[in-house]
Amino acid sequence: MKNNAFSADMDCALKSRGFVAGTVGMAAAAFFSVFQQILPVFQGQYAETGLDKGFVMRLVFTALSSDLVLLVLPILCTLPFASAFLDDYKSHFIRKYLPRAGKKNYVKAKVFTTALSGGLTLFIGAILVFLVFAILFFPMETTTEASEAFRLDTQLTENELTAQKNFVKFMMQAFVFFLNGCFWSLVGGILAAVTMSRYMAYASPFILYYVLVIFSKRYFDKLYVLNPQEWINPVSDWVGGIKGVVLFIVELIITVGFLYSYFIERKLQDV
């Protein structure tokens, strides 16, 4: 039982309605954020000319950096598991489960599952966005005619390299989404445990997110690291570029992970 605490929690999180709602919600938010751009395509305005090469990747990047996606992101990642410890505590399930799982294993399982489930919600959601747009619009992108291929062989190679670079860029952005999901899900878990309110697991990350956005834009505009939108869609000159963003978020995840462990252990003293 002790060795299965983490796998049991992950199985529960990934099979939950919250996980499905989070991933589908991510894709839906991305779709509606670019609806005005894709509406002419559905209306058949590009039926004869086709879409420009690279249309899908540009659409994906635009959707994932849209205001709507950034708005719902800190909420969606909390849906699978952010309230799990509080649910165990209030239902008294923890009293029966804790002696079999072990205190340390239970705490580790809750922290890691909360982080990973939140991260995977956004990561798989981003992948789903790419797949849906690719299925819908890749067949409509213009291709080079065979007669031009011989003439423009160098250009084709450049196009292929550009496509590969864009895909690598997309996967890196999806990974950044994963890290943000880990962080905000842990924040939801912490504040749910502190306030003993299930709703705070979902609302508190959203509130903190936008408090930081407002403070960073209005009062500390030069201190861009305080702006959580920069953690998702960095536009400022970060030291180390995207690697600097990743390192910064990882440090935040480690910090809030230890905090969540601490608050869980404090609550377990009353069990």
Side-chain angles (χ1 to χ4, degrees), residues 172 175-176 179 224-225 230-231 234 236-252:
M172 179 58 72
F175 179 62
V176 170
L179 294 178
Y224 55 84
V225 294
E230 283 281 343
W231 311 346
S236 300
D237 188 18
W238 283 75
V239 177
I242 192 66
K243 294 180 180 178
V245 177
V246 169
L247 180 60
F248 178 74
I249 304 173
V250 168
E251 292 173 349
L252 291 177

Side-chain angles (χ1 to χ4, degrees), residues 87-198:
D87 292 339
D88 287 355
Y89 186 88
K90 285 193 169 184
S91 66
H92 303 296
F93 170 76
I94 196 172
R95 294 181 179 179
K96 298 179 180 180
Y97 185 71
L98 194 60
R100 292 183 293 170
K103 183 177 178 180
K104 290 184 179 180
N105 286 280
Y106 177 85
V107 173
K108 289 179 181 179
K110 280 292 179 286
V111 172
F112 279 102
T113 303
T114 300
L116 291 176
S117 62
L120 287 173
T121 298
L122 300 188
F123 179 82
I124 295 177
I127 298 296
L128 186 60
V129 170
F130 172 78
L131 291 177
V132 171
F133 286 169
I135 292 172
L136 290 175
F137 304 119
F138 259 144
M140 301 179 65
E141 286 192 5
T142 55
T143 56
T144 307
E145 298 294 335
S147 59
E148 296 177 344
F150 179 79
R151 241 178 345 105
L152 302 175
D153 184 65
T154 303
Q155 185 63 38
L156 287 176
T157 302
E158 291 179 358
N159 288 336
E160 291 172 357
L161 289 175
T162 300
Q164 291 176 1
K165 290 179 180 179
N166 284 336
F167 184 73
V168 171
K169 180 182 177 182
F170 162 72
M171 291 304 298
M172 179 58 72
Q173 186 169 10
F175 179 62
V176 170
F177 269 74
F178 170 80
L179 294 178
N180 276 272
C182 292
F183 173 75
W184 290 114
S185 185
L186 287 170
V187 170
I190 291 173
L191 293 173
V194 171
T195 62
M196 297 301 290
S197 170
R198 192 171 192 271

